[in-house]
Amino acid sequence: MKIISFINMKGGVGKTTSVVEIGTILANEHDKKVLIIDLDPQTNASFSLMGLDEWDKVKDNATIADVLGMNKAFSSRDDEYDINRAIVKNVCDIQGLDLIPSHIELTFLDLDLSGQAGRENILSSQLEKCEEDYDYVLIDCPPNLTIAPQNALVVSNYIIVPVSPEFYAAIGLPLLSNRISQLKKRLPGCTVEILGVIFTQVRQTLDHEHHLNEIRKTCNDDLDIATFQTVIPFTTRISESAKWNKPATLANPNANGIQAYKNLTQELLLTLESDEEE
Ligand SMILES: Nc1ncnc2c1ncn2[C@@H]1O[C@H](COP(=O)(O)OP(=O)(O)OP(=O)(O)O)[C@@H](O)[C@H]1O
Ligand SMILES: [Mg+2]
């Protein structure tokens, strides 16, 4: 089981979209068993894969908030919440694509768990219970590095950083890389590596082309971070599909951004393979 977190402190850069589309393609076209974990109280990944009616049924006692120990009433009856209770199987009728949905309540996780020893290790010990069940776990993180994403960092083998090639991204990337290095020193057992940057929402403008090239160069020369060759173009049909509670891969399979996500998934599988051989 390989665990990959999609992280960038910058918002709106395509973290959720990348998790949802890559997860769907891995399950649908590569026969992989995939678990997507929505770790963001904004619940965007959840609603890209399930409708409000379905979410209503699970919101009280079967979301990532429960897995992370927020539902105190429940955890006093049981020793520990069982992560399997929060897994929604075969979302969007895709065989092998499972989801742990999120909840807005997760906003208060840091307050709830303040002072609790080992609060960064909860997800790690929970995921041990499904070690045998998945090829890939993809974690959609919020645009910050608070306790929930710290749980993701501790348990992950890899980080993927989605980046939209703009001026602020060039400034933010060294900060993110530094922050992750610091956290790795502070969080015991955290051995996560940045697998690479993926460029998302890329427009055919001189400005995007300039920043994309500059960021690739900074990653190579200064930060020692790999960048994926495949670039995801800005594709209106990707943003449109959110309203159908479905991945764009299913709603708009012929969109050029989706073809790019398929190529990217292929590149990701090859990158993971060669990393394992090293
Ligand atoms: N390649 C693309 N082309 C066009 N729109 C896109 C593309 N990728 C993502 N979007 C749209 O951009 C918006 C932000 O994307 P997304 O939600 O994936 O970013 P995020 O990094 O997860 O944001 P947040 O930090 O708020 O969680 C969404 O409306 C999404 O549909
Ligand atoms: Mg998001």
Side-chain angles (χ1 to χ4, degrees):
M1 184 166 91
K2 288 274 170 276
I3 307 177
I4 308 174
S5 281
F6 288 65
I7 291 191
N8 192 339
M9 289 184 281
K10 186 153 173 47
V13 292
K15 295 179 288 292
T16 301
T17 305
S18 299
V19 165
V20 167
E21 303 306 331
I22 293 171
T24 304
I25 294 164
L26 281 171
N28 221 7
E29 302 195 2
H30 297 272
D31 280 334
K32 303 292 184 194
K33 302 197 83 178
V34 181
L35 174 65
I36 289 179
I37 301 180
D38 186 354
L39 213 54
D40 187 348
Q42 294 182 97
T43 63
N44 294 157
S46 307
F47 290 118
S48 301
L49 295 163
M50 69 198 295
L52 187 59
D53 289 357
E54 281 173 279
W55 183 81
D56 257 339
K57 290 182 207 148
V58 301
K59 70 176 196 304
D60 291 334
N61 55 18
T63 70
I64 191 67
D66 303 284
V67 175
L68 293 176
M70 287 191 79
N71 196 336
K72 293 292 177 353
F74 181 88
S75 52
S76 63
R77 286 204 303 276
D78 254 15
D79 244 352
E80 191 182 64
Y81 187 86
D82 182 356
I83 188 171
N84 288 294
R85 287 195 53 180
I87 297 177
V88 186
K89 302 260 187 209
N90 305 322
V91 280
C92 293
D93 285 331
I94 301 167
Q95 212 55 37
L97 184 65
D98 296 354
L99 167 75
I100 299 183
S102 188
H103 195 292
I104 179 81
E105 186 189 4
L106 202 61
T107 317
F108 305 111
L109 183 73
D110 288 42
L111 274 177
D112 263 39
L113 300 185
S114 66
Q116 181 175 318
R119 61 194 174 145
E120 298 92 0
N121 302 316
I122 304 171
L123 188 60
S124 173
S125 67
Q126 286 282 3
L127 275 172
E128 278 173 21
K129 299 173 201 161
C130 16
E131 180 93 48
E132 304 297 317
D133 301 338
Y134 296 101
D135 299 307
Y136 297 101
V137 179
L138 307 184
I139 307 181
D140 182 24
C141 291
N144 58 53
L145 287 172
T146 53
I147 298 302
Q150 286 182 28
N151 267 268
L153 284 181
V154 169
V155 73
S156 291
N157 304 99
Y158 301 109
I159 292 169
I160 287 179
V161 186
V163 164
S164 184
E166 292 168 356
F167 177 69
Y168 289 127
I171 305 173
L173 212 46
L175 296 177
L176 178 70
S177 161
N178 261 337
R179 192 80 188 99
I180 287 170
S181 302
Q182 285 170 10
L183 280 169
K184 271 174 74 171
K185 285 186 203 140
R186 191 170 70 68
L187 299 170
C190 178
T191 58
V192 71
E193 295 295 338
I194 300 183
L195 190 66
V197 162
I198 55 179
F199 292 103
T200 60
Q201 305 165 339
V202 179
R203 294 175 191 263
Q204 284 185 320
T205 61
L206 284 178
D207 183 62
H208 266 203
E209 190 186 333
H210 168 77
H211 287 300
L212 194 151
N213 291 333
E214 284 295 303
I215 295 168
R216 260 203 217 282
K217 195 165 172 309
T218 309
C219 285
N220 261 329
D221 299 351
D222 306 335
L223 300 175
D224 199 21
I225 298 176
T227 53
F228 283 86
Q229 280 309 313
T230 314
V231 158
I232 309 297
F234 184 89
T235 306
T236 309
R237 290 197 173 271
I238 287 185
S239 44
E240 279 176 359
S241 57
K243 58 177 177 267
W244 290 300
N245 304 114
K246 257 188 187 182
T249 304
L250 300 184
N252 291 304
N254 299 320
N256 61 344
I258 293 308
Q259 192 52 53
Y261 268 117
K262 290 182 185 175
N263 297 340
L264 179 70
T265 306
Q266 197 83 47
E267 189 183 348
L268 170 65
L269 286 170
L270 289 173
T271 308
L272 289 170
E273 243 171 56
S274 67
D275 195 72
E276 258 169 43
E277 280 164 14
E278 272 171 21

